[in-house]
């Protein structure tokens, strides 16, 4: 399967714990995006990488959130001191990076539940 | 006001029916427009891009009215397999982030 992959698929944690999610984009896709989706809502943009550079961050991305893409391939999203409001589906997407605006392909998501 | 607004539905229709979804967006600088489909507890998948001239893909027709900042999706001859949430999506001018509506849920019954 050459699509976007995400791990883990599900994560249950206690409030106050740190969690880290991983995203592997489609091979040779230069752009990588993180979104968050809560029940009954559409996905909301969190952040975007062009290769290893983080070029945009949403106001939704508080100081407890950090994302990296150290070698321009896979990316990690870490949430520190989790809160119950962080419970959501975290989606990763990638695109080729050849045009200003282009199709994004989504991974299956990581579903986080904070108790 | 949300940047992308959709009727949440649900739309309950019988097989074979024609159903139309509407969407409005607030950022007049938006350059790209899409409809994504999302099945329950799955990731969104691109259904079709929307072009100014309107475009069709089989039973699906998308229309864009830039002056009114309005996007539509028409599904003809609905199938049971069309049951899903349909997300209206715009891409802000110059930015790569996608802005999603909350989605319209469609349920097609026998």
């Amino acid at each position: 399967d050459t699509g976007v992959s995400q791990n883990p698929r599900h994560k249950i944690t206690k409030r106050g714990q740190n969690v880290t999610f991983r995203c592997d984009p489609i091979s040779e896709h230069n752009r990588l995006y993180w979104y968050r989706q809560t029940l009954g809502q559409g996905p909301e943009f969190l952040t975007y990488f062009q290769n290893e550079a983080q070029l945009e961050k949403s106001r939704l991305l508080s100081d407890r959130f950090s994302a990296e893409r150290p070698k321009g391939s896979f990316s990690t999203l870490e949430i520190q001191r989790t809160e119950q409001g962080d419970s959501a589906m975290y989606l990763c997407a990638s695109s080729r990076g050849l045009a200003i605006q282009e199709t994004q392909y989504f991974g299956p998501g990581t579903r986080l539940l904070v108790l | 006001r949300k940047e992308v607004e959709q009727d949440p539905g649900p739309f309950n229709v019988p097989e074979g029916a024609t159903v139309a979804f509407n969407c409005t967006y607030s950022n007049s600088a938006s350059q790209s427009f899409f409809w994504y489909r999302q099945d329950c507890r799955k990731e969104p998948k691109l259904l079709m891009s929307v072009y100014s001239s309107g475009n069709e893909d089989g039973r699906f027709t998308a229309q864009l009215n830039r002056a009114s900042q309005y996007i539509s999706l028409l599904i003809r001859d609905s199938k049971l397999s069309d049951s899903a949430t349909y997300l209206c999506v715009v891409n802000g001018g110059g930015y790569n982030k996608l802005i999603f509506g909350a989605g319209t849920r469609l349920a097609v019954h026998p």
Side-chain angles (χ1 to χ4, degrees), chain A residues 26-43:
Chain A
I26 294 172
S27 178
E28 299 181 354
H29 275 196
N30 296 326
R31 293 180 185 160
L32 187 148
Y33 314 79
W34 284 98
Y35 293 83
R36 181 174 69 185
Q37 186 174 23
T38 54
L39 197 63
Q41 299 299 315

Side-chain angles (χ1 to χ4, degrees), chain B residues 7 9-22 35 59-62 72-79 82-84 86 104-108:
Chain B
D7 182 338
F11 283 55
N12 293 299
V13 302
E15 278 185 288
T18 296
V19 60
F21 303 141
N22 303 317
W35 284 100
R59 297 180 293 107
F60 300 84
T61 301
S72 66
L73 176 68
L74 184 75
I75 305 176
R76 292 182 299 278
D77 189 23
S78 299
K79 312 292 185 190
D82 293 334
S83 297
Y86 291 83
T104 298
R105 193 151 58 89
L106 172 66
V108 182

Side-chain angles (χ1 to χ4, degrees), chain B residues 6-99:
Chain B
Q6 296 182 248
D7 182 338
F11 283 55
N12 293 299
V13 302
E15 278 185 288
T18 296
V19 60
F21 303 141
N22 303 317
C23 167
T24 57
Y25 62 95
S26 60
N27 185 355
S28 59
S30 297
Q31 295 295 318
S32 302
F33 309 89
F34 311 92
W35 284 100
Y36 274 72
R37 170 193 168 130
Q38 187 170 29
D39 293 297
C40 188
R41 302 182 73 81
K42 300 284 190 179
E43 74 273 22
K45 292 186 177 178
L46 179 66
L47 178 66
M48 59 196 301
S49 300
V50 187
Y51 304 113
S52 297
S53 55
N55 49 300
E56 187 174 308
D57 182 1
R59 297 180 293 107
F60 300 84
T61 301
Q63 297 279 354
L64 168 65
N65 184 322
R66 287 184 182 267
S68 302
Q69 296 179 203
Y70 171 89
I71 307 165
S72 66
L73 176 68
L74 184 75
I75 305 176
R76 292 182 299 278
D77 189 23
S78 299
K79 312 292 185 190
L80 294 175
S81 58
D82 293 334
S83 297
T85 295
Y86 291 83
L87 297 159
C88 178
V89 186
V90 306
N91 191 324
Y95 292 95
N96 284 277
K97 63 183 180 184
L98 296 180
I99 302 169

Side-chain angles (χ1 to χ4, degrees), chain A residues 8-77:
Chain A
R9 296 290 305 278
H10 303 274
K11 179 70 178 179
I12 300 174
T13 191
K14 292 182 179 179
R15 189 176 52 186
Q17 298 295 304
N18 299 343
V19 294
T20 300
F21 309 142
R22 175 176 169 131
C23 170
D24 288 88
I26 294 172
S27 178
E28 299 181 354
H29 275 196
N30 296 326
R31 293 180 185 160
L32 187 148
Y33 314 79
W34 284 98
Y35 293 83
R36 181 174 69 185
Q37 186 174 23
T38 54
L39 197 63
Q41 299 299 315
E44 295 174 292
F45 172 81
L46 292 179
T47 190
Y48 148 65
F49 290 86
Q50 173 81 38
N51 298 311
E52 66 275 11
Q54 188 174 18
L55 298 185
E56 188 175 352
K57 291 170 60 173
S58 163
R59 292 190 307 272
L60 294 174
L61 217 63
S62 75
D63 291 344
R64 298 184 297 105
F65 288 70
S66 62
E68 294 182 343
R69 195 183 182 197
K71 298 183 180 179
S73 56
F74 73 91
S75 175
T76 57
L77 177 68

